[in-house]
Amino acid sequence: MEIDGIGETKACQILASFELARRYFGKKDVKITFPSDILPFVRDISDKRQEHFVCLALNGANEVIGNRVVTVGLLNSNQVHPREVFSDAIVDRAAAIILVHNHPSGDTEPSQEDVAITKRLVQAGELLGIKIHDHVIVSKNGYTSMKERGVI
């Protein structure tokens, strides 16, 4: 308000814009503690008509350092290979990853294929020294954590 032409109302508007920018561009290092913490990062795939397989890379403090779509599949299937899953995590120098994919049907129950690929990726991660914290299935109806189910 010390600047000529800026009154109390304009000063409040300027401060409000700074606060809005702070909230929008705020702290990027979001720590993942619970499976629900990843939902904002994958909200865009929850209602897709094709399966999308996403890898969230985490640093040693479980903060998200990368979020990439690994593969896009068909209506109800997706081919996932450890090479593709871990390539970006290695480049990011990730300490751990969280796997996420959607089920276009809306049913978040893990299939036998989901369990099998999760176990295969956990083994690959052990060889590479990159821990898989969880594999989460999302849909427009909610999510299921394989870690909470005891698969991981």
Side-chain angles (χ1 to χ4, degrees):
M1 291 181 4
E2 293 176 9
I3 299 173
D4 217 18
I6 297 184
E8 187 176 344
T9 303
K10 185 57 73 178
C12 287
Q13 289 173 337
I14 292 170
L15 287 174
S17 67
F18 282 126
E19 177 63 17
L20 183 63
R22 183 189 67 78
R23 291 182 186 186
Y24 183 77
F25 296 110
K27 188 177 179 192
K28 297 291 184 193
D29 299 332
V30 177
K31 187 171 185 171
I32 303 297
T33 308
F34 302 103
S36 59
D37 294 342
I38 62 109
L39 296 179
F41 293 96
V42 295
R43 182 168 289 136
D44 59 322
I45 69 163
S46 63
D47 60 351
K48 297 281 188 189
R49 293 184 181 164
Q50 293 175 285
E51 278 200 10
H52 286 65
F53 196 95
V54 175
C55 180
L56 294 175
L58 308 175
N59 64 18
N62 286 339
E63 296 168 337
V64 177
I65 57 174
N67 177 8
R68 294 179 181 88
V69 174
V70 177
T71 60
V72 176
L74 303 172
L75 174 66
N76 60 357
S77 67
N78 200 342
Q79 287 191 348
V80 179
H81 193 277
R83 175 185 57 242
E84 305 303 323
V85 171
F86 287 100
S87 65
D88 287 328
I90 291 169
V91 170
D92 289 342
R93 303 186 80 63
I97 61 174
I98 296 176
L99 308 171
V100 185
H101 79 277
N102 67 316
H103 277 181
S105 67
D107 179 16
T108 61
E109 191 64 30
S111 68
Q112 289 179 345
E113 292 83 14
D114 293 338
V115 172
I117 190 65
T118 300
K119 290 181 179 181
R120 182 174 180 208
L121 291 171
V122 166
Q123 290 174 340
E126 288 172 356
L127 287 173
L128 293 169
I130 300 175
K131 183 170 176 47
I132 296 181
H133 282 316
D134 203 347
H135 185 168
V136 179
I137 301 170
V138 297
S139 78
K140 59 187 173 219
N141 299 327
Y143 72 94
T144 296
S145 162
M146 290 203 199
K147 183 173 188 172
E148 290 178 345
R149 290 280 181 99
V151 175
I152 294 177

